[in-house]
Amino acid sequence: MLALTLPAAVNPVIGKLTARQGPRWWSVGGFAVCGAALVSFGRVTGHSDTSHTFFVVHLAAVGVALAVLVNSNQVAISVASQKYG
């Protein structure tokens, strides 16, 4: 749950940048980071401190990537609705 709620604190910054630069490349970057983190989750095994650290880093990367994806897609939808409205 914290992987989704804590990265949401950066949503105003991401929204400002997305509105200025456009949502396309933010979505591509978010999908790339999220996909890479989810694929590399398979290497996080064991009960050592290193594996726990890698798990937290991967979880934070997925949370930030999902925050970027949700926010950039919301900007894209609002821009499209303003054009058609």
Side-chain angles (χ1 to χ4, degrees):
M1 191 67 182
L2 291 176
L4 297 176
T5 55
L6 287 179
V10 297
N11 275 345
V13 175
I14 295 169
K16 213 179 270 189
L17 292 172
T18 305
R20 189 177 339 147
Q21 298 172 355
R24 178 176 295 163
W25 293 111
W26 287 98
S27 292
V28 170
F31 276 118
V33 169
C34 190
L38 287 175
V39 167
S40 65
F41 253 130
R43 295 180 181 245
V44 180
T45 58
H47 296 289
S48 66
D49 288 338
T50 306
S51 65
H52 291 301
T53 304
F54 283 145
F55 179 78
V56 170
V57 168
H58 279 82
L59 196 60
V62 169
V64 169
L66 287 176
V68 168
L69 284 171
V70 167
N71 201 350
S72 64
N73 287 330
Q74 286 177 343
V75 168
I77 290 169
S78 66
V79 167
S81 67
Q82 286 177 356
K83 284 182 182 178
Y84 293 117

